[in-house]
Amino acid sequence: MKSRVLCSSVVLTSIVLAACGDKGEPTPFQTANDLESRLEADTGVVWAVARETPTTSPRVLGPTKPVQLPGATFEEKTRGFFARYSGGLGPGEHNLVVVEDRADEDGSHETALADTIPGTTIRVFDSVSSARYDAKGNILYLQSGIGHDLTGTPTSAKISEPDAASSATAHIEGACGAKNATLPTAQLGALPRTNAPITLAYRFEFAEAVGTCAGPTIFVDAGTGKVLEMREQATEIQD
């Protein structure tokens, strides 16, 4: 839940910046301008496309005028968009599953899709693509979470969950000063990493403070048992 809240503020800020700005290096997928051209040709309206850097995949997209996406349902519209333009949104193959399809009291609608490793049900941690529609069914903006290349990502763990839990427990004791901490249930997923390949990992996510750490989340490599990183809720909110 905390990830979705933070993402929503990023979406709104990014799309405003993209819409107000003007419309390098080669990338393995289409550049923003290529994608904008396709979107304009397909829909008849200009689109704003926001990227974190010129060489990363688009994160937020939105039309500058009201427009309908093809499809009979919001899920069909959203799936169809990400399927049609996946080549411009990120490299490799992606398999999206619905995690939310919600109508709000004002008539607007949001559909969210989680990315999974192709051929499996293993989700990519914190990777959600979503679409927001107005009360008339026009697309307001989309947030893309498929900028990661999942090619070659392992699909099975080499170490057991208990072994991963032992690594997490030892890390909690050293980093947070908490002995004999009761670990939450582990989740197996693909962990995107900066300047490193996506790694299959176990995630242990505490909802409350543990020792000196505020709601820590620990990721343990499912292949080696090494702790890859630890995040704290307070740190995530501040960032």
Side-chain angles (χ1 to χ4, degrees), residues 66-105:
V67 67
Q68 292 273 337
L69 296 180
T73 66
F74 289 107
E75 180 181 343
E76 286 183 7
K77 293 173 185 285
T78 306
R79 281 189 179 279
F81 182 93
F82 286 106
R84 180 171 179 80
Y85 302 107
S86 61
L89 296 172
E93 181 182 356
H94 297 268
N95 179 47
L96 301 177
V97 297
V98 176
V99 292
E100 186 174 50
D101 197 32
R102 184 191 76 241
D104 291 337
E105 293 182 358

PDB file of all heavy atoms in Angstrom, residues 66-105:
ATOM      1  N   PRO A  66      -8.774  15.081 -24.385  1.00  0.00           N
ATOM      2  CA  PRO A  66      -9.521  13.858 -24.070  1.00  0.00           C
ATOM      3  C   PRO A  66      -9.528  12.893 -25.252  1.00  0.00           C
ATOM      4  O   PRO A  66      -9.723  13.298 -26.400  1.00  0.00           O
ATOM      5  CB  PRO A  66     -10.939  14.372 -23.773  1.00  0.00           C
ATOM      6  CG  PRO A  66     -10.750  15.799 -23.352  1.00  0.00           C
ATOM      7  CD  PRO A  66      -9.600  16.303 -24.167  1.00  0.00           C
ATOM      8  N   VAL A  67      -9.291  11.623 -24.963  1.00  0.00           N
ATOM      9  CA  VAL A  67      -9.282  10.621 -26.021  1.00  0.00           C
ATOM     10  C   VAL A  67      -9.664   9.263 -25.434  1.00  0.00           C
ATOM     11  O   VAL A  67      -9.383   8.984 -24.265  1.00  0.00           O
ATOM     12  CB  VAL A  67      -7.886  10.551 -26.702  1.00  0.00           C
ATOM     13  CG1 VAL A  67      -6.831  10.024 -25.744  1.00  0.00           C
ATOM     14  CG2 VAL A  67      -7.940   9.693 -27.956  1.00  0.00           C
ATOM     15  N   GLN A  68     -10.316   8.456 -26.241  1.00  0.00           N
ATOM     16  CA  GLN A  68     -10.705   7.113 -25.833  1.00  0.00           C
ATOM     17  C   GLN A  68      -9.676   6.106 -26.344  1.00  0.00           C
ATOM     18  O   GLN A  68      -9.156   6.252 -27.447  1.00  0.00           O
ATOM     19  CB  GLN A  68     -12.084   6.757 -26.411  1.00  0.00           C
ATOM     20  CG  GLN A  68     -13.238   7.555 -25.841  1.00  0.00           C
ATOM     21  CD  GLN A  68     -13.804   6.922 -24.577  1.00  0.00           C
ATOM     22  OE1 GLN A  68     -13.652   5.732 -24.328  1.00  0.00           O
ATOM     23  NE2 GLN A  68     -14.468   7.739 -23.768  1.00  0.00           N
ATOM     24  N   LEU A  69      -9.394   5.093 -25.538  1.00  0.00           N
ATOM     25  CA  LEU A  69      -8.572   3.987 -25.984  1.00  0.00           C
ATOM     26  C   LEU A  69      -9.483   2.863 -26.461  1.00  0.00           C
ATOM     27  O   LEU A  69     -10.595   2.696 -25.939  1.00  0.00           O
ATOM     28  CB  LEU A  69      -7.690   3.475 -24.847  1.00  0.00           C
ATOM     29  CG  LEU A  69      -6.646   4.436 -24.287  1.00  0.00           C
ATOM     30  CD1 LEU A  69      -5.852   3.759 -23.161  1.00  0.00           C
ATOM     31  CD2 LEU A  69      -5.697   4.920 -25.377  1.00  0.00           C
ATOM     32  N   PRO A  70      -9.061   2.081 -27.450  1.00  0.00           N
ATOM     33  CA  PRO A  70      -9.915   0.984 -27.929  1.00  0.00           C
ATOM     34  C   PRO A  70     -10.066  -0.111 -26.878  1.00  0.00           C
ATOM     35  O   PRO A  70      -9.155  -0.375 -26.103  1.00  0.00           O
ATOM     36  CB  PRO A  70      -9.158   0.479 -29.163  1.00  0.00           C
ATOM     37  CG  PRO A  70      -7.741   0.904 -28.968  1.00  0.00           C
ATOM     38  CD  PRO A  70      -7.806   2.196 -28.211  1.00  0.00           C
ATOM     39  N   GLY A  71     -11.241  -0.727 -26.853  1.00  0.00           N
ATOM     40  CA  GLY A  71     -11.505  -1.803 -25.904  1.00  0.00           C
ATOM     41  C   GLY A  71     -12.886  -1.665 -25.300  1.00  0.00           C
ATOM     42  O   GLY A  71     -13.393  -0.549 -25.110  1.00  0.00           O
ATOM     43  N   ALA A  72     -13.503  -2.808 -24.969  1.00  0.00           N
ATOM     44  CA  ALA A  72     -14.859  -2.796 -24.425  1.00  0.00           C
ATOM     45  C   ALA A  72     -14.884  -2.548 -22.933  1.00  0.00           C
ATOM     46  O   ALA A  72     -15.878  -2.046 -22.400  1.00  0.00           O
ATOM     47  CB  ALA A  72     -15.552  -4.130 -24.741  1.00  0.00           C
ATOM     48  N   THR A  73     -13.811  -2.904 -22.237  1.00  0.00           N
ATOM     49  CA  THR A  73     -13.736  -2.716 -20.789  1.00  0.00           C
ATOM     50  C   THR A  73     -12.460  -1.953 -20.455  1.00  0.00           C
ATOM     51  O   THR A  73     -11.546  -1.836 -21.283  1.00  0.00           O
ATOM     52  CB  THR A  73     -13.723  -4.060 -20.052  1.00  0.00           C
ATOM     53  OG1 THR A  73     -12.508  -4.762 -20.377  1.00  0.00           O
ATOM     54  CG2 THR A  73     -14.921  -4.917 -20.454  1.00  0.00           C
ATOM     55  N   PHE A  74     -12.388  -1.455 -19.218  1.00  0.00           N
ATOM     56  CA  PHE A  74     -11.177  -0.740 -18.806  1.00  0.00           C
ATOM     57  C   PHE A  74      -9.971  -1.676 -18.806  1.00  0.00           C
ATOM     58  O   PHE A  74      -8.860  -1.261 -19.148  1.00  0.00           O
ATOM     59  CB  PHE A  74     -11.380  -0.109 -17.431  1.00  0.00           C
ATOM     60  CG  PHE A  74     -12.322   1.052 -17.443  1.00  0.00           C
ATOM     61  CD1 PHE A  74     -13.600   0.935 -16.905  1.00  0.00           C
ATOM     62  CD2 PHE A  74     -11.957   2.266 -18.006  1.00  0.00           C
ATOM     63  CE1 PHE A  74     -14.483   2.008 -16.925  1.00  0.00           C
ATOM     64  CE2 PHE A  74     -12.830   3.346 -18.032  1.00  0.00           C
ATOM     65  CZ  PHE A  74     -14.104   3.212 -17.490  1.00  0.00           C
ATOM     66  N   GLU A  75     -10.185  -2.904 -18.427  1.00  0.00           N
ATOM     67  CA  GLU A  75      -9.067  -3.860 -18.464  1.00  0.00           C
ATOM     68  C   GLU A  75      -8.590  -4.069 -19.893  1.00  0.00           C
ATOM     69  O   GLU A  75      -7.384  -4.083 -20.157  1.00  0.00           O
ATOM     70  CB  GLU A  75      -9.483  -5.203 -17.852  1.00  0.00           C
ATOM     71  CG  GLU A  75      -8.342  -6.220 -17.869  1.00  0.00           C
ATOM     72  CD  GLU A  75      -8.726  -7.577 -17.283  1.00  0.00           C
ATOM     73  OE1 GLU A  75      -9.749  -7.660 -16.573  1.00  0.00           O
ATOM     74  OE2 GLU A  75      -8.004  -8.556 -17.546  1.00  0.00           O
ATOM     75  N   GLU A  76      -9.531  -4.220 -20.827  1.00  0.00           N
ATOM     76  CA  GLU A  76      -9.148  -4.410 -22.231  1.00  0.00           C
ATOM     77  C   GLU A  76      -8.412  -3.188 -22.761  1.00  0.00           C
ATOM     78  O   GLU A  76      -7.416  -3.315 -23.500  1.00  0.00           O
ATOM     79  CB  GLU A  76     -10.387  -4.683 -23.087  1.00  0.00           C
ATOM     80  CG  GLU A  76     -10.971  -6.065 -22.908  1.00  0.00           C
ATOM     81  CD  GLU A  76     -12.144  -6.306 -23.842  1.00  0.00           C
ATOM     82  OE1 GLU A  76     -12.410  -5.438 -24.714  1.00  0.00           O
ATOM     83  OE2 GLU A  76     -12.784  -7.365 -23.714  1.00  0.00           O
ATOM     84  N   LYS A  77      -8.893  -1.996 -22.402  1.00  0.00           N
ATOM     85  CA  LYS A  77      -8.236  -0.769 -22.847  1.00  0.00           C
ATOM     86  C   LYS A  77      -6.795  -0.713 -22.336  1.00  0.00           C
ATOM     87  O   LYS A  77      -5.860  -0.394 -23.081  1.00  0.00           O
ATOM     88  CB  LYS A  77      -8.999   0.454 -22.326  1.00  0.00           C
ATOM     89  CG  LYS A  77     -10.402   0.661 -22.898  1.00  0.00           C
ATOM     90  CD  LYS A  77     -11.102   1.791 -22.173  1.00  0.00           C
ATOM     91  CE  LYS A  77     -12.541   1.969 -22.603  1.00  0.00           C
ATOM     92  NZ  LYS A  77     -12.643   2.604 -23.926  1.00  0.00           N
ATOM     93  N   THR A  78      -6.638  -1.014 -21.043  1.00  0.00           N
ATOM     94  CA  THR A  78      -5.319  -0.906 -20.418  1.00  0.00           C
ATOM     95  C   THR A  78      -4.372  -1.976 -20.941  1.00  0.00           C
ATOM     96  O   THR A  78      -3.226  -1.692 -21.301  1.00  0.00           O
ATOM     97  CB  THR A  78      -5.453  -1.022 -18.885  1.00  0.00           C
ATOM     98  OG1 THR A  78      -6.416  -0.058 -18.431  1.00  0.00           O
ATOM     99  CG2 THR A  78      -4.129  -0.754 -18.210  1.00  0.00           C
ATOM    100  N   ARG A  79      -4.842  -3.208 -20.984  1.00  0.00           N
ATOM    101  CA  ARG A  79      -4.011  -4.293 -21.516  1.00  0.00           C
ATOM    102  C   ARG A  79      -3.616  -4.016 -22.968  1.00  0.00           C
ATOM    103  O   ARG A  79      -2.474  -4.222 -23.371  1.00  0.00           O
ATOM    104  CB  ARG A  79      -4.756  -5.628 -21.440  1.00  0.00           C
ATOM    105  CG  ARG A  79      -4.774  -6.283 -20.077  1.00  0.00           C
ATOM    106  CD  ARG A  79      -5.346  -7.691 -20.187  1.00  0.00           C
ATOM    107  NE  ARG A  79      -5.350  -8.362 -18.918  1.00  0.00           N
ATOM    108  CZ  ARG A  79      -4.288  -8.954 -18.390  1.00  0.00           C
ATOM    109  NH1 ARG A  79      -3.137  -8.931 -19.044  1.00  0.00           N
ATOM    110  NH2 ARG A  79      -4.368  -9.561 -17.222  1.00  0.00           N
ATOM    111  N   GLY A  80      -4.596  -3.564 -23.744  1.00  0.00           N
ATOM    112  CA  GLY A  80      -4.331  -3.298 -25.154  1.00  0.00           C
ATOM    113  C   GLY A  80      -3.267  -2.237 -25.346  1.00  0.00           C
ATOM    114  O   GLY A  80      -2.407  -2.347 -26.223  1.00  0.00           O
ATOM    115  N   PHE A  81      -3.319  -1.189 -24.519  1.00  0.00           N
ATOM    116  CA  PHE A  81      -2.327  -0.118 -24.623  1.00  0.00           C
ATOM    117  C   PHE A  81      -0.923  -0.656 -24.360  1.00  0.00           C
ATOM    118  O   PHE A  81       0.010  -0.432 -25.148  1.00  0.00           O
ATOM    119  CB  PHE A  81      -2.652   0.999 -23.640  1.00  0.00           C
ATOM    120  CG  PHE A  81      -1.705   2.171 -23.725  1.00  0.00           C
ATOM    121  CD1 PHE A  81      -2.000   3.256 -24.537  1.00  0.00           C
ATOM    122  CD2 PHE A  81      -0.512   2.184 -23.014  1.00  0.00           C
ATOM    123  CE1 PHE A  81      -1.122   4.332 -24.637  1.00  0.00           C
ATOM    124  CE2 PHE A  81       0.368   3.249 -23.107  1.00  0.00           C
ATOM    125  CZ  PHE A  81       0.062   4.325 -23.922  1.00  0.00           C
ATOM    126  N   PHE A  82      -0.747  -1.359 -23.244  1.00  0.00           N
ATOM    127  CA  PHE A  82       0.595  -1.835 -22.900  1.00  0.00           C
ATOM    128  C   PHE A  82       1.087  -2.915 -23.859  1.00  0.00           C
ATOM    129  O   PHE A  82       2.295  -3.031 -24.095  1.00  0.00           O
ATOM    130  CB  PHE A  82       0.625  -2.324 -21.455  1.00  0.00           C
ATOM    131  CG  PHE A  82       0.603  -1.210 -20.452  1.00  0.00           C
ATOM    132  CD1 PHE A  82      -0.541  -0.923 -19.715  1.00  0.00           C
ATOM    133  CD2 PHE A  82       1.723  -0.415 -20.256  1.00  0.00           C
ATOM    134  CE1 PHE A  82      -0.564   0.125 -18.808  1.00  0.00           C
ATOM    135  CE2 PHE A  82       1.709   0.637 -19.357  1.00  0.00           C
ATOM    136  CZ  PHE A  82       0.556   0.910 -18.626  1.00  0.00           C
ATOM    137  N   ALA A  83       0.174  -3.682 -24.434  1.00  0.00           N
ATOM    138  CA  ALA A  83       0.578  -4.677 -25.419  1.00  0.00           C
ATOM    139  C   ALA A  83       1.019  -4.005 -26.721  1.00  0.00           C
ATOM    140  O   ALA A  83       2.046  -4.356 -27.302  1.00  0.00           O
ATOM    141  CB  ALA A  83      -0.574  -5.648 -25.691  1.00  0.00           C
ATOM    142  N   ARG A  84       0.255  -3.011 -27.154  1.00  0.00           N
ATOM    143  CA  ARG A  84       0.549  -2.352 -28.438  1.00  0.00           C
ATOM    144  C   ARG A  84       1.836  -1.547 -28.378  1.00  0.00           C
ATOM    145  O   ARG A  84       2.617  -1.533 -29.338  1.00  0.00           O
ATOM    146  CB  ARG A  84      -0.617  -1.443 -28.842  1.00  0.00           C
ATOM    147  CG  ARG A  84      -0.388  -0.712 -30.159  1.00  0.00           C
ATOM    148  CD  ARG A  84      -1.643  -0.003 -30.629  1.00  0.00           C
ATOM    149  NE  ARG A  84      -1.434   0.712 -31.877  1.00  0.00           N
ATOM    150  CZ  ARG A  84      -1.425   0.161 -33.070  1.00  0.00           C
ATOM    151  NH1 ARG A  84      -1.615  -1.149 -33.191  1.00  0.00           N
ATOM    152  NH2 ARG A  84      -1.221   0.882 -34.157  1.00  0.00           N
ATOM    153  N   TYR A  85       2.072  -0.878 -27.253  1.00  0.00           N
ATOM    154  CA  TYR A  85       3.214   0.042 -27.183  1.00  0.00           C
ATOM    155  C   TYR A  85       4.345  -0.481 -26.295  1.00  0.00           C
ATOM    156  O   TYR A  85       5.226   0.290 -25.903  1.00  0.00           O
ATOM    157  CB  TYR A  85       2.731   1.405 -26.674  1.00  0.00           C
ATOM    158  CG  TYR A  85       1.659   2.000 -27.544  1.00  0.00           C
ATOM    159  CD1 TYR A  85       0.337   2.035 -27.117  1.00  0.00           C
ATOM    160  CD2 TYR A  85       1.954   2.491 -28.817  1.00  0.00           C
ATOM    161  CE1 TYR A  85      -0.664   2.559 -27.929  1.00  0.00           C
ATOM    162  CE2 TYR A  85       0.960   3.015 -29.631  1.00  0.00           C
ATOM    163  CZ  TYR A  85      -0.346   3.048 -29.185  1.00  0.00           C
ATOM    164  OH  TYR A  85      -1.329   3.563 -30.003  1.00  0.00           O
ATOM    165  N   SER A  86       4.347  -1.767 -26.006  1.00  0.00           N
ATOM    166  CA  SER A  86       5.372  -2.323 -25.110  1.00  0.00           C
ATOM    167  C   SER A  86       6.786  -2.088 -25.642  1.00  0.00           C
ATOM    168  O   SER A  86       7.716  -1.882 -24.873  1.00  0.00           O
ATOM    169  CB  SER A  86       5.139  -3.825 -24.896  1.00  0.00           C
ATOM    170  OG  SER A  86       5.216  -4.525 -26.130  1.00  0.00           O
ATOM    171  N   GLY A  87       6.951  -2.101 -26.969  1.00  0.00           N
ATOM    172  CA  GLY A  87       8.270  -1.881 -27.534  1.00  0.00           C
ATOM    173  C   GLY A  87       8.825  -0.511 -27.254  1.00  0.00           C
ATOM    174  O   GLY A  87      10.047  -0.315 -27.254  1.00  0.00           O
ATOM    175  N   GLY A  88       7.956   0.455 -26.998  1.00  0.00           N
ATOM    176  CA  GLY A  88       8.412   1.799 -26.686  1.00  0.00           C
ATOM    177  C   GLY A  88       8.471   2.086 -25.205  1.00  0.00           C
ATOM    178  O   GLY A  88       8.930   3.151 -24.798  1.00  0.00           O
ATOM    179  N   LEU A  89       8.005   1.142 -24.407  1.00  0.00           N
ATOM    180  CA  LEU A  89       7.954   1.351 -22.958  1.00  0.00           C
ATOM    181  C   LEU A  89       9.059   0.622 -22.212  1.00  0.00           C
ATOM    182  O   LEU A  89       9.364   0.958 -21.064  1.00  0.00           O
ATOM    183  CB  LEU A  89       6.590   0.901 -22.422  1.00  0.00           C
ATOM    184  CG  LEU A  89       5.386   1.691 -22.941  1.00  0.00           C
ATOM    185  CD1 LEU A  89       4.089   1.042 -22.493  1.00  0.00           C
ATOM    186  CD2 LEU A  89       5.463   3.133 -22.458  1.00  0.00           C
ATOM    187  N   GLY A  90       9.664  -0.362 -22.831  1.00  0.00           N
ATOM    188  CA  GLY A  90      10.738  -1.091 -22.157  1.00  0.00           C
ATOM    189  C   GLY A  90      11.181  -2.284 -22.973  1.00  0.00           C
ATOM    190  O   GLY A  90      10.459  -2.750 -23.866  1.00  0.00           O
ATOM    191  N   PRO A  91      12.352  -2.817 -22.674  1.00  0.00           N
ATOM    192  CA  PRO A  91      12.887  -3.944 -23.431  1.00  0.00           C
ATOM    193  C   PRO A  91      12.314  -5.274 -22.972  1.00  0.00           C
ATOM    194  O   PRO A  91      11.832  -5.413 -21.845  1.00  0.00           O
ATOM    195  CB  PRO A  91      14.387  -3.876 -23.124  1.00  0.00           C
ATOM    196  CG  PRO A  91      14.431  -3.310 -21.730  1.00  0.00           C
ATOM    197  CD  PRO A  91      13.289  -2.331 -21.647  1.00  0.00           C
ATOM    198  N   GLY A  92      12.375  -6.270 -23.837  1.00  0.00           N
ATOM    199  CA  GLY A  92      12.022  -7.627 -23.448  1.00  0.00           C
ATOM    200  C   GLY A  92      10.528  -7.887 -23.394  1.00  0.00           C
ATOM    201  O   GLY A  92       9.691  -7.056 -23.736  1.00  0.00           O
ATOM    202  N   GLU A  93      10.205  -9.097 -22.935  1.00  0.00           N
ATOM    203  CA  GLU A  93       8.828  -9.564 -22.859  1.00  0.00           C
ATOM    204  C   GLU A  93       8.281  -9.364 -21.451  1.00  0.00           C
ATOM    205  O   GLU A  93       8.999  -9.503 -20.460  1.00  0.00           O
ATOM    206  CB  GLU A  93       8.773 -11.057 -23.222  1.00  0.00           C
ATOM    207  CG  GLU A  93       7.396 -11.663 -23.202  1.00  0.00           C
ATOM    208  CD  GLU A  93       7.414 -13.153 -23.510  1.00  0.00           C
ATOM    209  OE1 GLU A  93       8.506 -13.675 -23.816  1.00  0.00           O
ATOM    210  OE2 GLU A  93       6.342 -13.780 -23.427  1.00  0.00           O
ATOM    211  N   HIS A  94       6.984  -9.055 -21.374  1.00  0.00           N
ATOM    212  CA  HIS A  94       6.355  -8.820 -20.077  1.00  0.00           C
ATOM    213  C   HIS A  94       4.990  -9.504 -20.037  1.00  0.00           C
ATOM    214  O   HIS A  94       4.288  -9.572 -21.044  1.00  0.00           O
ATOM    215  CB  HIS A  94       6.201  -7.324 -19.801  1.00  0.00           C
ATOM    216  CG  HIS A  94       7.502  -6.600 -19.714  1.00  0.00           C
ATOM    217  ND1 HIS A  94       8.170  -6.402 -18.527  1.00  0.00           N
ATOM    218  CD2 HIS A  94       8.286  -6.054 -20.675  1.00  0.00           C
ATOM    219  CE1 HIS A  94       9.297  -5.766 -18.755  1.00  0.00           C
ATOM    220  NE2 HIS A  94       9.393  -5.534 -20.057  1.00  0.00           N
ATOM    221  N   ASN A  95       4.631 -10.006 -18.873  1.00  0.00           N
ATOM    222  CA  ASN A  95       3.333 -10.637 -18.671  1.00  0.00           C
ATOM    223  C   ASN A  95       2.619  -9.901 -17.542  1.00  0.00           C
ATOM    224  O   ASN A  95       3.050  -9.958 -16.392  1.00  0.00           O
ATOM    225  CB  ASN A  95       3.503 -12.115 -18.321  1.00  0.00           C
ATOM    226  CG  ASN A  95       2.171 -12.801 -18.087  1.00  0.00           C
ATOM    227  OD1 ASN A  95       1.247 -12.641 -18.874  1.00  0.00           O
ATOM    228  ND2 ASN A  95       2.061 -13.544 -17.000  1.00  0.00           N
ATOM    229  N   LEU A  96       1.544  -9.176 -17.873  1.00  0.00           N
ATOM    230  CA  LEU A  96       0.866  -8.332 -16.901  1.00  0.00           C
ATOM    231  C   LEU A  96      -0.391  -9.008 -16.370  1.00  0.00           C
ATOM    232  O   LEU A  96      -1.165  -9.586 -17.131  1.00  0.00           O
ATOM    233  CB  LEU A  96       0.500  -6.988 -17.546  1.00  0.00           C
ATOM    234  CG  LEU A  96       1.677  -6.169 -18.090  1.00  0.00           C
ATOM    235  CD1 LEU A  96       1.168  -4.901 -18.766  1.00  0.00           C
ATOM    236  CD2 LEU A  96       2.648  -5.813 -16.974  1.00  0.00           C
ATOM    237  N   VAL A  97      -0.584  -8.921 -15.051  1.00  0.00           N
ATOM    238  CA  VAL A  97      -1.771  -9.492 -14.413  1.00  0.00           C
ATOM    239  C   VAL A  97      -2.502  -8.383 -13.654  1.00  0.00           C
ATOM    240  O   VAL A  97      -1.874  -7.496 -13.081  1.00  0.00           O
ATOM    241  CB  VAL A  97      -1.403 -10.646 -13.458  1.00  0.00           C
ATOM    242  CG1 VAL A  97      -0.777 -11.790 -14.222  1.00  0.00           C
ATOM    243  CG2 VAL A  97      -0.464 -10.174 -12.361  1.00  0.00           C
ATOM    244  N   VAL A  98      -3.824  -8.430 -13.647  1.00  0.00           N
ATOM    245  CA  VAL A  98      -4.626  -7.397 -12.995  1.00  0.00           C
ATOM    246  C   VAL A  98      -4.504  -7.511 -11.478  1.00  0.00           C
ATOM    247  O   VAL A  98      -4.681  -8.587 -10.909  1.00  0.00           O
ATOM    248  CB  VAL A  98      -6.101  -7.514 -13.407  1.00  0.00           C
ATOM    249  CG1 VAL A  98      -6.948  -6.492 -12.652  1.00  0.00           C
ATOM    250  CG2 VAL A  98      -6.258  -7.301 -14.898  1.00  0.00           C
ATOM    251  N   VAL A  99      -4.211  -6.387 -10.833  1.00  0.00           N
ATOM    252  CA  VAL A  99      -4.176  -6.341  -9.372  1.00  0.00           C
ATOM    253  C   VAL A  99      -5.215  -5.363  -8.823  1.00  0.00           C
ATOM    254  O   VAL A  99      -5.542  -5.392  -7.638  1.00  0.00           O
ATOM    255  CB  VAL A  99      -2.775  -5.955  -8.838  1.00  0.00           C
ATOM    256  CG1 VAL A  99      -1.788  -7.061  -9.124  1.00  0.00           C
ATOM    257  CG2 VAL A  99      -2.292  -4.639  -9.433  1.00  0.00           C
ATOM    258  N   GLU A 100      -5.763  -4.520  -9.693  1.00  0.00           N
ATOM    259  CA  GLU A 100      -6.811  -3.596  -9.270  1.00  0.00           C
ATOM    260  C   GLU A 100      -7.606  -3.135 -10.487  1.00  0.00           C
ATOM    261  O   GLU A 100      -7.040  -2.837 -11.534  1.00  0.00           O
ATOM    262  CB  GLU A 100      -6.202  -2.383  -8.554  1.00  0.00           C
ATOM    263  CG  GLU A 100      -7.228  -1.445  -7.956  1.00  0.00           C
ATOM    264  CD  GLU A 100      -6.600  -0.338  -7.129  1.00  0.00           C
ATOM    265  OE1 GLU A 100      -5.673   0.328  -7.643  1.00  0.00           O
ATOM    266  OE2 GLU A 100      -7.025  -0.132  -5.980  1.00  0.00           O
ATOM    267  N   ASP A 101      -8.921  -3.091 -10.343  1.00  0.00           N
ATOM    268  CA  ASP A 101      -9.796  -2.599 -11.397  1.00  0.00           C
ATOM    269  C   ASP A 101     -10.961  -1.929 -10.677  1.00  0.00           C
ATOM    270  O   ASP A 101     -11.970  -2.557 -10.375  1.00  0.00           O
ATOM    271  CB  ASP A 101     -10.273  -3.758 -12.282  1.00  0.00           C
ATOM    272  CG  ASP A 101     -10.842  -3.279 -13.603  1.00  0.00           C
ATOM    273  OD1 ASP A 101     -10.379  -2.254 -14.128  1.00  0.00           O
ATOM    274  OD2 ASP A 101     -11.767  -3.941 -14.122  1.00  0.00           O
ATOM    275  N   ARG A 102     -10.800  -0.634 -10.387  1.00  0.00           N
ATOM    276  CA  ARG A 102     -11.654   0.047  -9.411  1.00  0.00           C
ATOM    277  C   ARG A 102     -12.354   1.270  -9.988  1.00  0.00           C
ATOM    278  O   ARG A 102     -11.743   2.111 -10.648  1.00  0.00           O
ATOM    279  CB  ARG A 102     -10.789   0.498  -8.233  1.00  0.00           C
ATOM    280  CG  ARG A 102     -11.553   1.132  -7.091  1.00  0.00           C
ATOM    281  CD  ARG A 102     -10.627   1.791  -6.079  1.00  0.00           C
ATOM    282  NE  ARG A 102     -10.103   3.067  -6.553  1.00  0.00           N
ATOM    283  CZ  ARG A 102      -8.811   3.334  -6.733  1.00  0.00           C
ATOM    284  NH1 ARG A 102      -7.907   2.407  -6.488  1.00  0.00           N
ATOM    285  NH2 ARG A 102      -8.422   4.516  -7.157  1.00  0.00           N
ATOM    286  N   ALA A 103     -13.662   1.356  -9.718  1.00  0.00           N
ATOM    287  CA  ALA A 103     -14.429   2.551 -10.057  1.00  0.00           C
ATOM    288  C   ALA A 103     -14.564   3.411  -8.814  1.00  0.00           C
ATOM    289  O   ALA A 103     -14.873   2.907  -7.722  1.00  0.00           O
ATOM    290  CB  ALA A 103     -15.799   2.159 -10.579  1.00  0.00           C
ATOM    291  N   ASP A 104     -14.335   4.711  -8.933  1.00  0.00           N
ATOM    292  CA  ASP A 104     -14.447   5.631  -7.808  1.00  0.00           C
ATOM    293  C   ASP A 104     -15.811   6.317  -7.803  1.00  0.00           C
ATOM    294  O   ASP A 104     -16.547   6.275  -8.792  1.00  0.00           O
ATOM    295  CB  ASP A 104     -13.331   6.678  -7.866  1.00  0.00           C
ATOM    296  CG  ASP A 104     -11.969   6.061  -7.585  1.00  0.00           C
ATOM    297  OD1 ASP A 104     -11.927   4.994  -6.932  1.00  0.00           O
ATOM    298  OD2 ASP A 104     -10.950   6.632  -8.022  1.00  0.00           O
ATOM    299  N   GLU A 105     -16.132   6.963  -6.690  1.00  0.00           N
ATOM    300  CA  GLU A 105     -17.449   7.575  -6.521  1.00  0.00           C
ATOM    301  C   GLU A 105     -17.725   8.673  -7.542  1.00  0.00           C
ATOM    302  O   GLU A 105     -18.873   8.917  -7.922  1.00  0.00           O
ATOM    303  CB  GLU A 105     -17.577   8.144  -5.107  1.00  0.00           C
ATOM    304  CG  GLU A 105     -17.602   7.085  -4.017  1.00  0.00           C
ATOM    305  CD  GLU A 105     -17.773   7.688  -2.633  1.00  0.00           C
ATOM    306  OE1 GLU A 105     -17.838   8.940  -2.543  1.00  0.00           O
ATOM    307  OE2 GLU A 105     -17.848   6.921  -1.654  1.00  0.00           O
TER     308      GLU A 105
END
